[in-house]
Structures are given as structure tokens and as C-alpha cells.
Amino acid sequence: MTEAREPAGPNGETHARHTPGTPCWVSLMVHGLTATQDFYGSLFGWEFQPGPQQLGPYSRALLDGYEVAGIGQLPPDRHLPIAWTPYLASDDVDVTAETVRLCGGTIGVGPLDAAEAGRLAIGSDPSGAVFGIWQAAGHHGTAITGVPGTPAWNELLTYESVSVAKFYETVFGYEEEPVVSADFDYVTLHIEGRPVAGIHGVGHALPRDRGPHWITYFDVADTDDAVARLVDLGGHVLKPPRDSAHGRVATVSDPEGARFSLIESPR
């Protein structure tokens, strides 16, 4: 993580409609829906309400009444990697999905309607990293950021940044800002001059059981306290808390193995 969004005010930053290409939602598909809700509810203070059921049982996580993320249940016979998936905003998911295909990516789900909420597709980039596409109707996506318990940043961990960055730029219209360094491969993706996501080329340091994948950073008030709470709840620490230029960060996983990061941003 080399750049994060500008910090919101003390009460967070609320969002109506997201600019196309902006990460606008994060969603997790798991086998144990109730247990996973209990885990994240205790970790982040989330409450849950039912969401669209097009892909099976699904609930939206709320923080102080604002929608921040989604958790759904995988069919018992689906043995997919358990992972947080960012959804990127689109004005026309069908056009975006076709562009994904033309640029060497794949579309595995959709495009399909999610009741009155909007229209979605789930695809993967040429390296295999999975992401979603969201065309908002009644549901615009994450409604608040900048406070503990909300998504703070999305970052793609992949083999190398150059070729995959070209894919995302072509599909979503990003501008890129590479880090000029002989030993650090990182590109920040911008929309209208604002950093919205990052691509980190880590070569053979990728987990063997995962391959290229997106990882979501969640804002917390105190990273060390959040890590201790996570462990008590049955989660696992992959990289212990460490200081970075953007705050204190830890990489962790939930009881089903979904990886994510916790970040205590300077306030």
C-alpha cells in the first residue's frame, strides 16, 4: 500500500454514486454465513440485514445504519477460494464485461440483475485475480468510509504490475502512477487525479495456494487491539502489526481463510 484515500472527517465520508472504475463495494462468499457474520460483527461492530438472493443467501453489513460490505453463502458443492472481492463501479456492466473479455480477462458470473439493487458481473483479469463489476440502481455500494469498520483501500497482489495495470486501465479508464524503484513494483490507479486502488507486483512471494488476488484494507481504531480481538474470535495473523507510511498495518485472515488487512490510519 503506497497511497490511501484522503482521510474523511471525524464522522466519516458518505457516498451517493461512485465514479466508474472506483471500488464501490466489497463482498465475501463463505460456507458458514452465520458464523462469519458473528466474526465480523464482533470485529468491526457490523450489523446485518438481508440483501439480494440471486447468488444464494446474502446479507449486507451495516455500520451505524450505513451499508459497508456484503457477505453471502456459497453452495455446499462449491469449493472456491474464500476471499474478499472488490466491486468496481460501471455505468454499463454489459459493456464493461465485454471489454474485460476483449482485453484477455474472463467473466465467470453474469451480467445479471440483483433485484432492484443493480446489475453485476464477476470476472477475473488475465492473471486470474477475481473482481466484481457493479452497475448501481437502488444500491450504490459502500455508503461510508473513513471511520473504523469501513473499507479503506483495495490492492491487487500479482506477479508483476505492468501488464495487468494495462488491462485495468483499458477496461476502467484509470490513470497510473508507478513507483520508480528498482526493487519495489507498485502502481497506483487514479481516477480524476484521485488514488483509488493499487497494484503490487510481488513475484514469487505470492502465496502458492492463492495466486494473484485482491486484498481489502479495513480501517480500525487500533491495529494491535483489533488483531488481538481477531485472534480471540478465531482469526489468524499472517503478518503482525507493523508501521508503514500510511499507518499501522497487519495482514490477517478470518476463520474460513479469507485474507484482509487492518489499517490504523493517521487521524
Side-chain angles (χ1 to χ4, degrees), residues 20-23 85-88 96 99-100 103-106 123-133 155-158 160-176 187-191 196-200 212-214:
T22 305
T85 300
Y87 279 72
L88 309 175
T96 303
T99 307
V100 166
C103 292
T106 60
S124 57
D125 66 28
S127 73
V130 175
F131 61 93
I133 307 165
E155 186 171 281
L156 173 61
L157 299 181
T158 190
E160 54 83 25
S161 68
V162 175
S163 60
V164 76
K166 295 298 181 189
F167 166 83
Y168 286 99
E169 289 165 24
T170 304
V171 174
F172 293 103
Y174 298 123
E175 306 113 31
E176 71 168 67
V187 170
T188 304
L189 302 175
H190 290 73
I191 289 178
V196 296
I199 299 176
H200 190 185
H213 61 282
W214 283 89

Side-chain angles (χ1 to χ4, degrees), residues 22-38:
T22 305
C24 62
W25 188 244
V26 288
S27 190
L28 175 65
M29 301 296 288
V30 297
H31 294 291
L33 182 58
T34 300
T36 300
Q37 289 177 343
D38 290 344

Side-chain angles (χ1 to χ4, degrees), residues 93-94 97 101 107 109-113 119-121:
V93 69
D94 295 81
R101 294 188 186 99
I107 297 295
V109 176
L112 57 84
D113 290 326
R119 190 161 171 80
L120 68 88

Side-chain angles (χ1 to χ4, degrees), residues 11-249:
N11 297 318
E13 179 182 354
T14 57
H15 303 272
R17 193 171 188 90
H18 295 263
T19 305
T22 305
C24 62
W25 188 244
V26 288
S27 190
L28 175 65
M29 301 296 288
V30 297
H31 294 291
L33 182 58
T34 300
T36 300
Q37 289 177 343
D38 290 344
F39 171 83
Y40 285 101
S42 298
L43 182 63
F44 292 138
W46 291 349
E47 298 177 339
F48 295 90
Q49 68 178 19
Q53 309 291 305
Q54 272 71 11
L55 301 179
Y58 190 82
S59 59
R60 292 178 182 156
L62 281 73
L63 185 69
D64 296 330
Y66 292 100
E67 296 176 345
V68 293
I71 300 178
Q73 185 165 330
L74 285 167
D77 58 342
R78 296 296 295 273
H79 299 287
L80 301 172
I82 307 298
W84 281 101
T85 300
Y87 279 72
L88 309 175
S90 170
D91 282 340
D92 189 324
V93 69
D94 295 81
V95 171
T96 303
E98 184 58 27
T99 307
V100 166
R101 294 188 186 99
L102 291 172
C103 292
T106 60
I107 297 295
V109 176
L112 57 84
D113 290 326
E116 305 301 318
R119 190 161 171 80
L120 68 88
I122 301 173
S124 57
D125 66 28
S127 73
V130 175
F131 61 93
I133 307 165
W134 182 253
Q135 179 183 337
H139 171 65
H140 293 295
T142 301
I144 186 171
T145 56
V147 294
T150 62
W153 186 250
N154 287 281
E155 186 171 281
L156 173 61
L157 299 181
T158 190
Y159 297 112
E160 54 83 25
S161 68
V162 175
S163 60
V164 76
K166 295 298 181 189
F167 166 83
Y168 286 99
E169 289 165 24
T170 304
V171 174
F172 293 103
Y174 298 123
E175 306 113 31
E176 71 168 67
E177 182 180 303
V179 171
V180 181
S181 172
D183 57 358
F184 190 63
D185 179 13
Y186 199 100
V187 170
T188 304
L189 302 175
H190 290 73
I191 289 178
E192 300 173 346
R194 180 171 58 94
V196 296
I199 299 176
H200 190 185
V202 297
H204 297 296
L206 274 174
R208 291 182 180 178
D209 61 334
R210 281 297 156 113
H213 61 282
W214 283 89
I215 189 163
T216 298
Y217 288 71
F218 289 96
D219 200 330
V220 293
D222 186 305
T223 300
D224 296 81
D225 285 353
V227 166
R229 187 161 66 251
L230 172 135
V231 171
D232 287 343
L233 294 168
H236 305 280
V237 179
L238 305 177
K239 292 183 180 179
R242 58 204 182 276
D243 292 323
S244 76
H246 304 282
R248 193 157 174 79
V249 182

